[in-house]
Structures are given as structure tokens and as C-alpha cells.
Amino acid sequence: MGKKELAAVGRKTTEHEFYASTLKGYKPGKTKYIIITGSVISGLGKGVFSAVLAKLLQDRGLRVSPLKFDGYLNIDAGTLNPYRHGEVFVLDDGTECDMDLGTYERFLDGRLSADNYITAGKLFSQILKREREGKYLGRDVMFVPHVTGFIKDFVRSLGLKTKADVVLVEVGGTVGDIENSYFIEAMRELAYEEGSGNVCYVNVTYILKPGTLGEQKSKAAQFGIRALMSQGIQPHIIACRASEPVAEKVREKVSIASNVPLERVVSFPDVDTIYAVPQMFKDSKLDGAVMDILGLKGKAPADGWNAFVQRIRRPKKNVRVGITGKYTGLHDSYASILHALEHAGAANDCRVHVEWVETSEITDKNAASRLKGLNGIIVPGGFGSRGWEGKIACAKYARENDLPYLGLCLGFQTAVVDVARHVCGLKGANSTEMEPNAPHPVIELLPQQLDIEGLGGNMRLGARTVEITKGSFANKLYGATKTKERFRHRYECNPDYVKRLQEAGLVFSGCDTHHTVMQILEYPKNKFFVGSQFHPEFLSRPLRPHPLFNGFIAACVRK
Ligand code: GLN
């Protein structure tokens, strides 16, 4: 960056066209940036790519902060339909975000916040708010410099706040989209201001292999990369996604078309498990290339990871777990649960085979045949009444037949309704989400939800303390009497019914600090019948499987 531009940082002025940053104490060049864009198609694994690259740099002793930009106008992911967009992931601070942040957290074994996620909706709502407050000093508010300036501030302030050596920015969508064009422009400006050697651009592209030709074709990738270059960005690294390893000849074509040396055009084929990707990147020296480009030095990486991958690849046992789900068509809507099962499976030396259980046709009569052959069942989170009675039938069957049961959020509520109806004998017991006039509203709106309108961001969200009863089964699983878990719900177990449920043998072994919200339940007559009002799947990590999933899978193995 030249002297004039430098002077503009931190200075209020209306006299020049450089964006006057509001960041105090920012020094260009101190934090390094990696900008990851996609081309050809979306959904090509950019999230995994970004997470793995971040992990490899972290393994070298660097502080890495990831950031995801999504081009949609929703303020956050809370109002998105998981059937279309994949699961809504929840962070400690209650941010409802894209599932890629889950991938980052799992690979980095870290905890992220709203600072790590920005949507076009959040961006524009903040800019428009500033405009109303008169913060633009009479200027016409423009995409350049104001929108791009806001974006650069957001990206840089993450580096400042987290004292990151590297901020890694994943730009959602593909190059050429209207939705991310101004964001990519901001990322171009970033390199101009930060100076050479401080920003590394990576394009993740896709090499097609049409079935009729049976041969890999690079033209679409070339055009995609050209689109990026026409926006003023010269990539340093090209990652070629493909169903199989990308042939050298194809990489050569991409290399010539993009000015990127052949050794930095890396092949990124499909693998059996995403946890094998770090080794694949190490083999292609991707981390080393990024560090060279950014002039970074790091220590030699330690490794506990490969043993974990070996356990995934060579399981000694198999278990079959049923998941009752509304979104059984789109597995991405249950991504974190599937990962949590994989982590717990590896820890128990077994492969977890998941069977999707459509509950809209399950009744007490056919539950036994529908759940036949399963070693355990999970009733996951969900909203609305579709398949609800079938889920209750599954909980009842599991409870009566000692089939391992793990209820997550809605699945916790399902278990409460089952016990209320079938053990307490409360006829018509229900959740008021499903039956507003239920004679026994054993699951009811949380008090703080009563006068909230609208759908966005207003649930009981984010990390909260769970106090675990000493001597309970949960206490044994956690090995602790206190933990923090992530919530996303509107309904809870009605306090008026807690006593009756307890008398029927249900134990509430986890509560909030005021002991008013029931957060873990267990049915000690069974070997494993556990429900959590929170979502343990969000905190499971590859090398640290979540205690509830770990205990559940261990019980499934024994079953
Ligand atoms: N629909 C239920 C509630 O709002 C459960 C929510 C969930 O499973 N995430 O409380």
C-alpha cells in the first residue's frame, strides 16, 4: 500500500477516494490472509478445503481464524430450511450459521463466534443502519468504497480481535455470481492495501468427467478461473476437485490457462472420509506452498490424527443406528449428528451404519418390525408435527425393549411425552407445539418465548451451563457435574409435570443453573435411554467424541 492509502487507514476524510477504516491499531501486513473462492460448481467441498487448510496451518503452530461469507440476504442461517441448505449450525454466542462453521470447528477443535460469519443480509443491514445514523458524512453510499470498505474492516477486525497470524476467508458461492461479486472485489482491494506477500488467493475448481467421454475435461475450470482473473485476482493456488485424481495433463492445461505453476495446481479427488483430507493435502505440500507464499514459518506438526483415520478405515465391529428424520432426503440437514456418530464410532472401533427411519407411518403396532435389526435409535431435533406420533412410538418401543435411545432436543421432548402418556397415564399428553390445546401440555413454550413474534434469531440459543446431578448416569458419561452445551429451542419440559414424570421413573439429571429448565433426562431402568434438550452434536470433535454419543454407541455395540 502506498503512503496515501496508508494514511487513510484510521483517518476520517471526505477528500479522497480511499476508504477510511474505523479500525484502531490496525497495521497492514501484520496478519496474513488466505482468500478461498470456488469456480465451476457450488457444493464442491470448499468448506472442507478451507477447514483442512486452516487445520494444517494450526498444526504448524500458527493462530488461524476462519471466516465464512454467504451471499444470501438472510441476516443469519436461522430462517433457512435445512432441507435446502443443510443444517443450521449454532455457535456458543447463539449465532445460527452455515454448516461450514461446524466443519471449521471440528477440524480446528475450536469455538467460533459471530465474528467468523457474515452474510450479505448482516452486512447490508449494518451499512444501512450506519447510513441512517449519518455516519457516512454526507457521502453517497457506494459499493466501492463503502461496502467493500465495510467488508475489509470486518475481515481485518477478526484478525485484530483474535490476534490471528492468518485469517482464512471462504467466499460462498462461485466466481461470477452476482451475490458475491462485491465481496470478491473487497478481497481484491485487500491485497492491494496489504501489500504483496500478505494475501494468498486459492481457487477451488472442479474438473468434469462426462460419462459419455470417460475423460477429464478442464475447460469449465479454465473459464471459471478466467472469471476470477477478470475480476483482477491472480490466484496463487488452484485446487482441482474431481471424482478421481486429476491427471497431470489436465493440471498442465489448468496451469497454463491460469499462470499458476504446475506444483501449485493440486489434485483434490473424492475420498472415503473427509478426515483423510489433511494427509492428502500434506502429500501435495499444500500447507508448505501457502506458507511460502505468505512468508510464514512454523514448527513441524505433531500427529494424533492418522491413528484416528486408521480407526475409521479399519473398524472391528459394525452397528446399525436408526435416525428418525423429517429431512431424510437430505443428509446434510443432519451433518453434525453424522459426524458425531463417526467420531464416537472411531472411539469404539466400530463403523456406524445409519438407517433413515421415516416416522409418518410408524405406529405402536408396527414399530417392532420397522425398527428391526437396529442397535439403537436417535430421535434428532426438528420442528413441526410431521411424523411426530411415529417418533413417540419409536421412543416407547425403545424404552419398553431396552433399545439404546438418544433423543436430541425434539427427541428429548418426544421421550417426555412418551413417559407422560404411557407410564404416568396422562391421556393426551403432548407438546403444545404439536397440539396447542393438549389436556396435559407436558412440553410447553419457554416463558421467555411467550411474547416473541417473528421467526428469526429468537429461540433459546447458544451455549449455556448444564448442571449434572452427582451419581447420575449422565454424570458417569460426562465424568463431570458441570458442562456447557449449545441450545436451539422454543419449548421445554413443563415444570408443572416434572414431579409426576420423576415419580414414573424418569430422572432429570441435567438442569440449568436456576434448576428450572430440564436439560438432560435418563430412564435408569434401561441401559441407555437418554435425552438432551441441547444439541450435543455441535460439540463433538474428531479426537474428542461427545460423551453422550460415545456412551450411546458403546451401548449400541453391546446391544
Ligand atoms: N421444536 C422444538 C422446540 O422448539 C425442538 C427444537 C429442536 O429440536 N431444535 O423446542
Side-chain angles (χ1 to χ4, degrees), residues 35 38 40 64 116 136 147 192 196 239 241 247 255 272 289-290 326-327 379-380 401 458 462 484 504 514 535 553 557:
I35 314 300
V40 181
V64 187
N116 301 88
Y136 290 101
V147 175
Y192 166 68
S196 70
R241 284 281 298 116
S255 166
D272 55 341
V290 171
K326 178 171 159 188
Y327 305 123
V379 177
N401 296 279
N458 60 23
K484 267 207 160 156
H514 305 293
H535 292 271
I553 290 300
V557 170

Side-chain angles (χ1 to χ4, degrees), residues 381-383 408-410 413 433 488-491 533 535:
F383 297 83
L408 308 172
C409 203
L410 186 72
Q413 300 172 357
E433 180 182 3
R488 182 173 188 251
H489 66 129
R490 269 195 199 95
Y491 294 81
Q533 186 57 79
H535 292 271

Side-chain angles (χ1 to χ4, degrees), residues 34 49-62 64 166 168 200 202 237 239 263-264 266 277-303:
I34 301 172
F49 180 93
S50 306
V52 172
L53 181 54
K55 173 193 160 42
L56 292 182
L57 297 176
Q58 180 177 280
D59 286 351
R60 301 291 206 98
L62 295 165
V64 187
V166 181
L168 182 144
C200 170
V202 182
I237 293 173
E263 66 274 14
R264 289 184 180 167
V266 294
V277 176
Q279 190 56 48
M280 187 162 86
F281 283 10
K282 271 195 231 165
D283 294 342
S284 52
K285 303 198 169 61
L286 188 73
D287 49 341
V290 171
M291 291 173 68
D292 285 348
I293 290 159
L294 294 174
L296 289 166
K297 289 200 173 43
K299 62 175 175 72
D303 214 348

